[in-house]
Amino acid sequence: MQGEVGTQGKAEDGGAALARRLLLLRLTILVAFCIGLAMSPGLWIGPRSYPQVPVWSLLPPIEGAVAATLYGALFALAGLAVIVPRARWPIAGFLAIIVAFCVADQTRWQPWVFQYSFLLMVVGLAGGGSADVNLQTLNLARLVIVFTYVFSGLQKINLNFMENEFSWIITPITGLLPSMSTPLDALGFLVPFVQVAFGVGLLTRRFRRASLTAAVGMHIFILAMFGPLGLNWNDIVWPWTAAMAVFDVLLFSSPDDFTWRDIVWNVRGLRHGAAMALFVVLPALSFFNLWDSYLSSALYSGNLTEAQIYLSDLGAASTPGGVRPYLVHTSENTNVLNLQRWAIEDLNVTPYAETRVFKTIAGNLCHALHDRNQLVLVVKEQRLFFSRPEVGFRCSQL
C-alpha cells in the first residue's frame, strides 16, 4: 500500500514538473516573440520603403491604422496568454494575426517567426493537460529543436560557408588575434558536422548531456560574435539565439528518460504529422531548391539565394526618394541596390531569400522608373545540390 502511494506521489510530482516545464517554455516563446516584434516595427507597421510581397498579388496590404491595431493586439494577446489560466484563445488569436501579417508579406517569414509560431501552436494550443499530453507536447518541441540543428548543420556543408561565411563570423577574434586566423578558419570545415552531431546527440541518452553543453555553448559563441562587442550585426537574431539556449535547457536537461523513438516515432496525430513535414521532410527539399531556405534552417549557412539590383544613373535618378539612400554608385553609370542592406536598414531583418520575392521587389521598383530599361536584377541561387549560376532579369521579365 505504501509502495503504491509512493509511486503515485512520484507520478504526481513528475506531472507537475512537466506542467512547469511547459509553462516556462510557453513563457520563453512569448517573451522572445514579443522582443523580436518590438525590434522590427518597420516590418510589421512601417513606415518602410522596402515593398511588401504578398502571397497573392491581389491581396490588399496590411498597413496604416489596421497594421498598427493588429500589431498592438499581438502584445495584448501575448500578455493575456501569460496571465490567464487557460491561454488557448489568446494564443490562437495571436497566431491568427501573425498568419494574416505573413500572408500579406513574405518578408515576414523570418526563421524566428516561423519557429516561434509553430512552437507556440504546439505548446499553447495543446488540449488536455494530463502528464501524457504534456510529455507528448514536450517531445514535439524537442523534435522541432533537434531538426533545426540537424538541418542547420547540413545546410552549412558547402564551400561558401566553410571558406567565407565562417571566416566573416569569427572576424571579432581574428581581428584581435591575426595569428589565430589559420587554425580558426580550419574549424569552418568541422562546424557543419559538429552541429549535425550534437543535434542527433540530443536524441540519445548517452550523448545528451554533452550535446546540450555543445548546443548552449554554440549559442553563447554566436551571441559573442554577432553581439555589440563583436560584429554588432543583425540584432534581431540576438534574442532568438538566447531563446534557443533556454529552449535547450528546458527541453533536454530534464531527468525524464525519453528516447529518440519518443520524439520521432512514438507520437501520433496531426501535430506530429505537421512537425515531421515542416521540420524533417520539407527542409530536405530545400537542397534541391524545391522548398524555401528560410523555412529550412539555412540562415547564415552560405546556402542562400542572393540578389542585387543594378541601375544606370538615369534609373537611379528616377527611383523613389525612400530608396535612394540605399543606392551605391560603384562605377560610371552603374548604381547598386544591395537588397540585404536595404532590408536590414529599413526593416531590421534580412530579405526573404527566394528568387520569386526578389523578382517582385525589383518589379515594384520598375514601375517607378521613367525608363524601364535602366534596371537589371541579378540573382544567384546557392543550394547544396543544383545551384544555379547568376541570372539577370530585365523589367520586362519581372
Side-chain angles (χ1 to χ4, degrees):
M1 185 72 173
Q2 289 180 347
E4 291 179 2
V5 172
T7 301
Q8 183 179 357
K10 288 181 180 179
E12 290 175 354
D13 290 343
L18 289 174
R20 285 194 299 272
R21 201 170 288 268
L22 268 179
L23 179 62
L24 289 172
L25 184 60
R26 187 181 75 195
L27 180 62
T28 303
I29 298 166
L30 286 167
V31 169
F33 212 148
C34 286
I35 290 173
L37 292 169
M39 291 176 69
S40 56
L43 177 65
W44 307 95
I45 57 175
R48 57 189 283 181
S49 61
Y50 196 90
Q52 293 193 33
V53 183
V55 172
W56 185 35
S57 61
L58 296 181
L59 287 173
I62 297 178
E63 55 190 6
V66 174
T69 301
L70 292 176
Y71 183 69
L74 287 172
F75 295 95
L77 289 167
L80 283 173
V82 170
I83 61 177
V84 300
R86 296 183 179 275
R88 294 179 70 184
W89 71 264
I91 288 176
F94 182 99
L95 292 174
I97 294 174
I98 289 293
V99 169
F101 268 126
C102 289
V103 168
D105 182 15
Q106 294 174 65
T107 304
R108 294 171 179 143
W109 299 8
Q110 294 292 309
W112 53 274
V113 174
F114 173 63
Q115 187 197 68
Y116 289 160
S117 297
F118 190 85
L119 284 174
L120 193 57
M121 183 195 73
V122 166
V123 172
L125 300 183
S130 66
D132 286 343
V133 170
N134 288 344
L135 183 57
Q136 288 185 2
T137 299
L138 284 172
N139 283 338
L140 281 172
R142 287 167 178 144
L143 185 150
V144 170
I145 299 304
V146 162
F147 283 97
T148 295
Y149 286 135
V150 169
F151 278 100
S152 180
L154 292 174
Q155 295 282 6
K156 293 181 176 72
I157 303 176
N158 65 84
L159 289 178
N160 191 33
F161 173 82
M162 295 174 177
E163 295 181 346
N164 301 314
E165 196 83 14
F166 186 74
S167 295
W168 170 73
I169 290 171
I170 61 172
T171 299
I173 299 174
T174 56
L176 291 173
L177 302 169
S179 61
M180 295 295 293
S181 295
T182 300
L184 287 177
D185 285 345
L187 285 178
F189 291 85
L190 297 177
V191 166
F193 304 99
V194 170
Q195 194 166 350
V196 172
F198 74 65
V200 174
L202 289 170
L203 291 172
T204 69
R205 295 170 177 168
R206 182 175 180 180
F207 299 107
R208 186 170 298 141
R209 181 170 296 181
S211 297
L212 174 60
T213 302
V216 173
M218 181 191 73
H219 291 300
I220 294 172
F221 173 78
I222 291 172
L223 280 172
M225 294 299 100
F226 280 81
L229 299 179
L231 294 166
N232 196 25
W233 174 254
N234 197 16
D235 59 11
I236 197 72
V237 303
W238 301 354
W240 184 31
T241 302
M244 283 290 287
V246 177
F247 295 159
D248 291 337
V249 173
L250 289 174
L251 293 171
F252 298 102
S253 65
S254 167
D256 302 333
D257 192 17
F258 57 90
T259 68
W260 70 269
R261 290 183 181 85
D262 297 323
I263 296 173
V264 178
W265 190 254
N266 288 348
V267 183
R268 288 293 179 269
L270 181 61
R271 292 187 306 158
H272 180 257
M276 289 294 292
L278 291 173
F279 292 90
V280 182
V281 178
L282 292 173
L285 299 181
S286 73
F287 299 141
F288 304 92
N289 209 8
L290 297 174
W291 184 248
D292 288 0
S293 296
Y294 269 13
L295 308 184
S296 308
S297 306
L299 187 65
Y300 293 114
S301 67
N303 213 25
L304 291 169
T305 296
E306 298 178 348
Q308 295 197 102
I309 294 173
Y310 292 84
L311 295 128
S312 67
D313 290 343
L314 180 61
S318 62
T319 55
V323 178
R324 289 177 200 169
Y326 306 107
L327 287 168
V328 177
H329 185 77
T330 57
S331 60
E332 183 179 356
N333 202 34
T334 302
N335 302 271
V336 178
L337 179 58
N338 184 291
L339 293 178
Q340 177 164 280
R341 176 177 170 241
W342 186 12
I344 286 181
E345 293 187 13
D346 198 40
L347 308 175
N348 200 30
V349 296
T350 52
Y352 195 73
E354 296 297 329
T355 299
R356 68 176 187 277
V357 174
F358 293 140
K359 290 175 70 174
T360 301
I361 291 169
N364 183 282
L365 194 56
C366 284
H367 293 306
L369 301 181
H370 299 314
D371 183 352
R372 291 165 58 88
N373 293 318
Q374 305 303 312
L375 180 149
V376 176
L377 168 70
V378 176
V379 177
K380 182 178 181 181
E381 296 181 344
Q382 176 75 26
R383 295 293 186 273
L384 187 60
F385 306 109
F386 303 118
S387 294
R388 296 173 184 171
E390 283 190 348
V391 179
F393 299 93
R394 295 278 185 181
C395 286
S396 60
Q397 300 170 288
L398 299 174

